[in-house]
Amino acid sequence: PTGSLLYPYGPHQGDETNPKHDDGTSNEIALSVPFTFYGKSYQNAFVNNNGVISFDEPVRQYTPDPFPLADGQSFVAPYWADVDNVLGGDIFYRQTTNPALLADISQDITKYFPESPFTATWALVATWDQVAYYGSTSKKGNTFQAVLTTDSKMFYIILNYWDIQWTTGTASDGDAETGLGGTPAHAGFNSGDETNFYNIPGSQTEAIINITTTSNVKVPGRWVFRVDKFQVTGVDLPKKNDCWL
């Protein structure tokens, strides 16, 4: 869509398309550039239908749990909820070194983190396009995207929320007609070490439907995080020269 937050996606961009399976997942994606997430380097990832990109193992769980997770799974949850792409929508992904796309990503990240100029050399772009919820009797669909990117030293994740119309599938106690109620979607990061995690405000509450209006980089619907070492953006930490340190 014009003026969209979303980076280009779809089969014409060379994307792979996930199979149409409830609680399905991509094939294992061998990352052409290992991705450092909370101090650990990963060579493999999965784009899971239920709104999660996971490292090393797929995630089929459909009702989200709050972070930190007890099972030590490390993953990014752009919008973890019970997607059913059999009922509607597609899940796309690609690894890319396309110069035009990397230039756009680099420009965006450098704008949000001006103290560390960034020139992307690789990205994994995953897009959930108009995906339906499990048990839906409506035509509601959610469109959102996650981008993992690096210059080989710094590692970032961009989460883009373009159109969010539902929060909950019926197996998570959501309403079949509205896609609301029950245990709503969760957005954030789980490092797997039980210490480092981040829950985007509104996660697992009805307020998550408004994630297209929230941001930590002053762009409604976009959240950006540096993830090689844990840093929460938008929170001013005391500097060393402040009087109480």
Side-chain angles (χ1 to χ4, degrees):
T2 326
S4 173
L5 280 180
L6 303 174
Y7 298 109
Y9 67 92
H12 57 289
Q13 297 291 333
D15 280 0
E16 306 279 332
T17 306
N18 274 16
K20 297 270 185 188
H21 287 308
D22 180 42
D23 304 329
T25 176
S26 68
N27 292 327
E28 186 172 35
I29 303 162
L31 302 176
S32 53
V33 174
F35 195 80
T36 302
F37 184 64
Y38 292 120
K40 274 183 77 176
S41 179
Y42 294 94
Q43 314 267 356
N44 298 297
F46 292 84
V47 173
N48 304 279
N49 289 7
N50 288 339
V52 169
I53 298 177
S54 55
F55 297 104
D56 290 346
E57 300 286 331
V59 170
R60 299 183 188 277
Q61 184 178 328
Y62 53 83
T63 301
D65 281 323
F67 299 155
L69 300 177
D71 66 4
Q73 242 308 14
S74 51
F75 64 71
V76 184
Y79 198 81
W80 184 14
D82 199 356
V83 168
D84 188 348
N85 64 343
V86 179
L87 290 179
D90 288 292
I91 295 131
F92 300 113
Y93 67 91
R94 73 184 179 283
Q95 296 187 72
T96 180
T97 54
N98 175 282
L101 176 67
L102 292 180
D104 285 349
I105 291 172
S106 304
Q107 189 180 353
D108 286 342
I109 288 180
T110 300
K111 186 165 63 191
Y112 310 141
F113 299 85
E115 68 289 348
S116 357
F118 180 79
T119 305
T121 53
W122 167 92
L124 170 68
V125 181
T127 310
W128 286 258
D129 184 40
Q130 298 177 30
V131 291
Y133 55 93
Y134 180 82
S136 172
T137 58
S138 75
K139 290 275 179 264
K140 288 185 169 187
N142 285 347
T143 300
F144 56 95
Q145 184 178 68
V147 178
L148 280 59
T149 187
T150 184
D151 62 358
S152 82
K153 293 182 293 293
M154 296 181 283
F155 294 79
Y156 286 94
I157 293 177
I158 302 168
L159 303 178
N160 292 322
Y161 300 95
W162 181 243
D163 188 15
I164 299 295
Q165 301 182 355
W166 62 267
T167 62
T168 323
T170 59
S172 313
D173 299 323
D175 181 280
E177 277 178 56
T178 64
L180 305 174
T183 304
H186 193 94
F189 298 86
N190 194 68
S191 71
D193 65 10
E194 294 191 26
T195 331
N196 293 308
F197 61 92
Y198 182 71
N199 300 315
I200 287 182
S203 285
Q204 295 194 341
T205 76
E206 58 195 28
I208 200 69
I209 194 96
N210 301 318
I211 198 166
T212 53
T213 67
T214 64
S215 177
N216 64 343
V217 292
K218 299 185 170 66
V219 179
R222 176 171 284 174
W223 289 76
V224 185
F225 302 87
R226 183 167 171 189
V227 296
D228 45 302
K229 50 189 205 298
F230 184 65
Q231 295 179 325
V232 174
T233 47
V235 177
D236 290 325
L237 296 169
K239 311 269 187 306
K240 288 251 180 345
N241 57 1
D242 285 348
C243 54
W244 61 81
L245 281 184

